[in-house]
Amino acid sequence: MALIGEADWTNGTLSTPNVPIEELKPLTGGPEGHKIWKSNNPEVIKGDGWLMQNARPGNRGSSRFNDLSGTFGIYLFHINKSLGTKYLHVLVTNPQNNAITLNGKGSMFTNAAHPLQGRGTGLNYMVSRNWLDDTHRIEFQNMTLDSGKAYTVDQFTLSNGTMIDGRFELTASAGVFVYTVVTSTGNLIDAINASQGGPAAGDIFSPGPNKFGREAGICGSSIWAGKTQIEVPTASAHLGLCLNTSNKFAPNLQDQTAGFLMRLSDSADRTNANYGHKYDVTLELRNPSNTVRKVRLSFASNLTNPQNRPSFTYNGPIQVNNNVKDIFTTPADPTELLDTFTINASTSLSVRLQFFIPGLITIGQQLLLESI
């Protein structure tokens, strides 16, 4: 674990809302945790069929992934623009010769029930908050799934224009297949039939030299975790740490994305923006001096724009030690105070941050520290 020393800080008071990205320091840590199955491409739904599946090779460059067992996550975000009512199904099927056991928990919401109306609102915020609080809309335990059968983890009705965001965690006693499926009826048999057919029509966003693309696949980790040791200087100074960053278009930034074990070939090859992933990071603030020091810790977006385009850059809860704070940043107002800490002489103070990245946020944030 590398130490960020006093010499790594920039002297003086910060004169801008955030630290320029070329001055950001890496955050100690790396990807870990369970696999996570992701469905976000096509983000826009225009017809019936499957959106993402790991059962078989075929359309959209899909491939079979047999080792989805034990505990794993599921994340999805979609928008219905089919001009009609659709039903979105999250299905799990058992391809084993014997019955298996499933446990699961999670939440899925729409903007119809949870419209975005500012800080602490919206479907994406609600999913992240449920996970941070460990209070879920659905939970099931020791559910037996017979060979060749399908189980509906969750299902929602989507009127035209409706957005849906969901995150689940399942534990399967043996390998399973997972599908997001769209039907016009909401009927389980129709959903199963659609899962075995072709992909749903929709807007595909593929990666490219100037594009991140959208995610559809299974990545090998769902958590970024680590501890960063930081020496606090005796004078006024500031420091920025990379948070939820990618180096695809900014080579100097730390790459905090994860790779895929399988993906649809028309979809992103990294988890850019990390929707649905958890951050669990600790800052160990060390005061080597013989005087008391104070540190102001803020959360900031790297994207700034006086016109507020897009309308917001982050909207989600963050737990700082034992306190939860709702963060809402915009391009014109990109920085929010998390807390101010006092570090006694010749002592250290640990600050633990835990949060789940909500959907619809922009990629690239920072943790801003100011010695005051």
Side-chain angles (χ1 to χ4, degrees), residues 86-313:
K86 295 295 180 185
Y87 299 84
L88 188 140
H89 311 249
V90 181
L91 301 180
V92 175
T93 65
N94 176 14
Q96 309 299 326
N97 293 327
N98 302 304
I100 65 171
T101 300
L102 282 179
N103 296 294
K105 60 183 180 180
S107 295
M108 192 158 71
F109 299 110
T110 68
N111 62 324
H114 297 281
L116 177 62
Q117 297 173 329
R119 184 187 308 276
T121 66
L123 71 164
N124 314 99
Y125 170 90
M126 288 299 301
V127 170
S128 295
R129 186 62 191 249
N130 273 200
W131 274 96
L132 193 59
D133 294 342
D134 197 23
T135 56
H136 307 284
R137 196 177 62 81
I138 64 167
E139 292 193 44
F140 54 90
Q141 293 183 338
N142 298 320
M143 199 281 298
T144 298
L145 184 61
D146 290 332
S147 175
K149 298 299 183 182
Y151 177 72
T152 301
V153 175
D154 207 353
Q155 176 181 328
F156 260 86
T157 304
L158 306 180
S159 59
N160 186 56
T162 299
M163 296 186 291
I164 189 162
D165 186 275
R167 188 185 193 278
F168 304 92
E169 188 175 275
L170 271 59
T171 301
S173 60
V176 296
F177 296 141
V178 179
Y179 304 80
T180 39
V181 179
V182 179
T183 70
S184 296
T185 64
N187 181 275
L188 176 58
I189 299 302
D190 290 341
I192 293 171
N193 290 337
S195 75
Q196 302 306 300
D203 293 343
I204 301 291
F205 293 93
S206 298
N210 299 305
K211 298 177 182 179
F212 285 117
R214 297 286 195 272
E215 295 176 83
I218 301 170
C219 58
S221 60
S222 54
I223 300 173
W224 176 283
K227 177 187 285 188
T228 304
Q229 292 183 331
I230 304 169
E231 280 189 346
V232 179
T234 56
S236 174
H238 58 272
L239 170 75
L241 299 173
C242 291
L243 189 69
N244 195 30
T245 48
S246 165
N247 64 4
K248 180 166 184 174
F249 302 123
N252 62 298
L253 284 179
Q254 183 182 24
D255 187 8
Q256 295 180 6
T257 67
F260 284 86
L261 302 173
M262 69 80 65
R263 67 183 180 94
L264 306 190
S265 62
D266 58 14
S267 301
D269 56 5
R270 304 288 299 180
T271 60
N272 303 306
N274 285 323
Y275 289 178
H277 288 233
K278 181 182 181 181
Y279 268 74
D280 187 353
V281 297
T282 297
L283 307 181
E284 184 180 291
L285 306 177
R286 303 171 62 179
N287 179 8
S289 74
N290 58 6
T291 61
V292 174
R293 297 303 299 153
K294 286 188 175 182
V295 172
R296 184 162 54 220
L297 176 64
S298 300
F299 177 97
S301 171
N302 295 341
L303 191 156
T304 61
N305 187 329
Q307 306 302 319
N308 264 349
R309 295 175 184 169
S311 59
F312 72 95
T313 50

